[in-house]
Amino acid sequence: MFIKEIVLHTISVSLKSPFTTSFGTLQTKEVCLVEVIDESGVTGWGETVTSDEPYYNEETTETARYILKDFLIPKLIKKEISDPMEVHQMLSFVRRHHIAKSAIETAIWDAFSKKNNKPLYELLGGEKKPIAVGKSIGIQNSPEELVSKVAQYVNDGFHKIKVKIAPGADIDYIRKVRKEFPDINLMADANSAYSLKDTEHLKQLDQFHLLMIEQPLAHDDIIDHSILQKELSTPICLDESIHTYDDARKAIELGSCKIINIKIGRVGGLQESIRIHDLCKKHKIPVWCGGMLETGVGRSHNLHMTTLSNFTIPGDTAPSSHYWDEDIIEEDIVMEKGYIRIPKGNGIGSEVCRTSLQEKLIQRESFQSAYSAHPIPV
Ligand code: OSB
Ligand code: MG
């Protein structure tokens, strides 16, 4: 596949309702959609799963766009790609910036599978199946408000409920939910809000038999998590700390977690996601697909990845209507009885809606040459 043109569509999107985590509240964000076009006109789509602020990790939509324009696009444009598995290595001259890399790598996977008339999951090695879905709930104003949200989502049929926690909105909130719903698959996500000093406090969660606690400690830690895991009966799941296959390998070796959340963006693309998936499978560490409040483009990639066999825990891949009044794709992603069907068709299946794109567009930039103001290693 010869990459003839790459277009960056920067759009502004607004969530139906604000989403609060231990690191802040998100309502609107810019998203950079990457469109890769080959010499025969086949197009593939990817998405920067960033927000406008560097609060989840160090990247923002603006940094991702900059890295794409000045480094990643010049490296890939006018290149022949015979296998999307080549792309990760080609982009390794840029340190980190995983979300930027992932946006373009996933677009190439989409284009490549369309070119080969295959749905993406087939290329990834997955198996077509309905995807069981969980719902991630932001921090609410009171335990009562949280319980009413949980009631609604349990009623909708979600297979797992994830509750965001932070100091001051944790034990009492979880206690109340567990009391009302003794049997649901319930978990908590702290987004790095605690430290080892809070070990005794966090141990109180053990009584609520949670499926797991996600990323209780620092975003860049795997050592303290291994100490905490020995103190907790609740399994620890790592999100923010896992950026690479080697991070996963070390975390498993140290016993820092019993479960891993794979986000395609955080680990720099689908190839690295597959490698981490396979490693976890070998070590009997179950995985699930995390969410980054994606539009339908990123969410479709997530769904295809979730068809891999070790994704045994429902992921944060809620349907379009939970995020957007109008998604960026032609056909909304919908859920039936807590399951989502993989979008039909080749590649990711979902088609970007050009009208919706135009309405939300802030800037369109097209690249057809390998020019960069910087030296790009060959
Ligand atoms: O920690 O999983 C997280 C959203 C933004 C940043 C980090 C996280 C999240 C979510 C949302 O939990 C999951 C979703 O897309 O529904
Ligand atoms: Mg998380």
Side-chain angles (χ1 to χ4, degrees), residues 56 162 164 189 191 214-215 239-240 261 263 288:
Y56 164 77
K162 159 165 145 181
K164 293 282 184 180
D189 185 0
N191 288 109
E214 185 178 348
Q215 198 71 33
D239 172 355
E240 281 90 330
N261 156 342
K263 288 180 179 168
W288 56 279

Side-chain angles (χ1 to χ4, degrees), residues 294-306:
E294 294 91 346
T295 74
V297 170
R299 204 156 293 278
S300 299
H301 281 287
N302 286 345
L303 290 168
H304 281 270
M305 175 177 77
T306 305

